[in-house]
Amino acid sequence: MSVLVFADSSEGKFKKSAFEVVSYGKKVAEQLGSKVVTLSINGGDASELYAYGAEKVIEVKEDSLSTFNAKAYASIIQQTADAQNSNVVIIDSSIDGLFVAPMVAVALEAGYASNVVALPSSTEPFTVKRKAFSNKAFSNTVISTDKKVIGLAKNSFGAHENSVSGSTESFSATLPELGVSSTSVERASGKVTIADADIVVSAGRGLKGPENWGMIEELAEVLGAATACSKPVSDLGWRPHGEHVGQTGKPVASNLYIAIGISGAIQHLAGINASKVKVVINTDADAPFFKAADYGIVGDAFEVVPQLVEKLKAFKQS
């Protein structure tokens, strides 16, 4: 028996989440007295995974999967789990992961728990703690099936170096009929994506118009952060829909989330509740966001943000 971890990657490089799920999988394997096997699909240098405890890396190289395809990825993970006799499969709870994990669970006839935030509190019965009710509560969930699929919430466990002498094997999986394929992909370059960002700077209608977004981008650049926005802003066309975060947009689980000129609608808060530290800047002291934030500044963004940028630049140069 083994624990199978899927190490996600993009353009031949492992994502930060890959090192977190490998770290988590190593500990789960230790709890079960088994070994951890890591699956890489068109991923990076396997030795990077050894550093986080991957004892065995299964590499799948497939040119037709240069872009993500949930059906194909789920099939490869299922085939690898069968080949490696894996009773536990761990996948990160990214947007792609949330597509793939349920498909893997169906294929393996496994129980599935998403948004898991801690190591199993018990392996018999197999019990995991997970986020519930739009991240407003936690649920202790028992997976009673023989095979189990765990979706690990981003930044919930962390990446912990635990170097081992790993080995790498190639695996030729049988690809299913895909049905859908990407003919081209256009990516923004030189910017931190929301999915990978440790810091997210987000703004709402308090910015009064798209022409004022320069100071948001400048703050994000100083912090090495991704930029985001509220739903009304993307609906108005001020910012691309890809930056819309919230329950109806992209979920955010960053270490720091800065909300500027966003009142804090329920749908927005539900999408960013998983962030560790939340900071709000708003002129309205009664804005709902202040009740959810760890730190708040009651003030005009057009006065506060430029000063914040200036102070941060001075701090970085000191």
Side-chain angles (χ1 to χ4, degrees):
M1 190 181 78
S2 67
V3 172
L4 177 66
V5 173
F6 171 56
D8 201 3
S9 58
S10 176
E11 298 182 304
K13 295 181 179 179
F14 291 113
K15 297 180 179 178
K16 288 176 60 179
S17 61
F19 306 127
E20 182 173 27
V21 290
V22 170
S23 301
Y24 181 85
K26 175 68 173 174
K27 292 298 181 184
V28 173
E30 289 176 357
Q31 285 183 311
L32 294 171
S34 62
K35 64 179 181 180
V36 61
V37 178
T38 301
L39 170 64
S40 162
I41 301 176
N42 292 336
D45 184 350
S47 64
E48 293 182 294
L49 302 176
Y50 301 161
Y52 293 88
E55 297 160 292
K56 182 177 181 181
V57 177
I58 305 297
E59 284 188 335
V60 173
K61 299 292 186 184
E62 178 55 56
D63 291 341
S64 64
L65 296 180
S66 58
T67 57
F68 174 75
N69 183 295
K71 184 178 180 180
Y73 275 48
S75 177
I76 294 172
I77 294 170
Q78 172 256 314
Q79 291 176 56
T80 307
D82 287 341
Q84 297 297 319
N85 190 26
S86 302
N87 277 18
V88 177
V89 176
I90 301 171
I91 301 170
D92 70 53
S93 285
S94 63
I95 293 176
D96 290 349
L98 289 172
F99 274 112
V100 167
M103 299 171 73
V104 173
V106 170
L108 293 174
E109 297 184 352
Y112 167 49
S114 62
N115 289 316
V116 171
V117 297
L119 290 169
S121 57
S122 166
T123 56
E124 192 63 45
F126 198 92
T127 307
V128 290
K129 183 179 180 180
R130 53 193 292 263
K131 298 175 184 176
F133 300 112
S134 299
N135 304 321
K136 293 181 178 178
F138 293 105
S139 166
N140 289 307
T141 301
V142 174
I143 307 178
S144 56
T145 51
D146 289 338
K147 295 187 177 181
K148 304 158 181 63
V149 176
I150 295 175
L152 182 65
K154 182 184 175 186
N155 289 330
S156 60
F157 187 75
H160 305 281
E161 292 194 15
N162 185 2
S163 186
V164 298
S165 299
S167 61
T168 301
E169 295 180 9
S170 297
F171 181 61
S172 297
T174 303
L175 292 183
E177 184 67 35
L178 300 182
V180 176
S181 61
S182 298
T183 56
S184 65
V185 176
E186 295 181 7
R187 290 187 172 92
S189 59
K191 291 185 176 180
V192 181
T193 65
I194 294 174
D196 296 329
D198 285 328
I199 304 174
V200 174
V201 177
S202 187
R205 280 186 296 183
L207 268 290
K208 299 181 180 178
E211 67 275 10
N212 296 319
W213 235 262
M215 65 180 184
I216 302 301
E217 293 176 332
E218 187 175 12
L219 176 58
E221 184 177 352
V222 173
L223 292 170
T227 56
C229 68
S230 61
K231 184 176 185 298
V233 164
S234 62
D235 286 346
L236 287 166
W238 293 1
R239 300 297 293 178
H241 283 284
E243 291 191 3
H244 163 207
V245 299
Q247 195 170 37
T248 55
K250 291 182 178 178
V252 171
S254 56
N255 288 321
L256 173 62
Y257 183 82
I258 303 175
I260 302 169
I262 299 176
S263 61
I266 292 174
Q267 294 84 354
H268 189 88
L269 295 177
I272 61 92
N273 266 338
S275 295
K276 289 185 177 178
V277 178
K278 296 177 277 291
V279 177
V280 59
I281 301 172
N282 203 304
T283 55
D284 181 6
D286 295 323
F289 217 131
F290 281 104
K291 295 181 180 178
D294 299 284
Y295 301 95
I297 299 172
V298 179
D300 188 336
F302 296 96
E303 297 177 3
V304 174
V305 174
Q307 292 184 52
L308 190 56
V309 170
E310 183 181 336
K311 294 292 185 184
L312 286 168
K313 285 183 176 178
F315 177 76
K316 292 180 73 173
Q317 291 173 355
S318 63

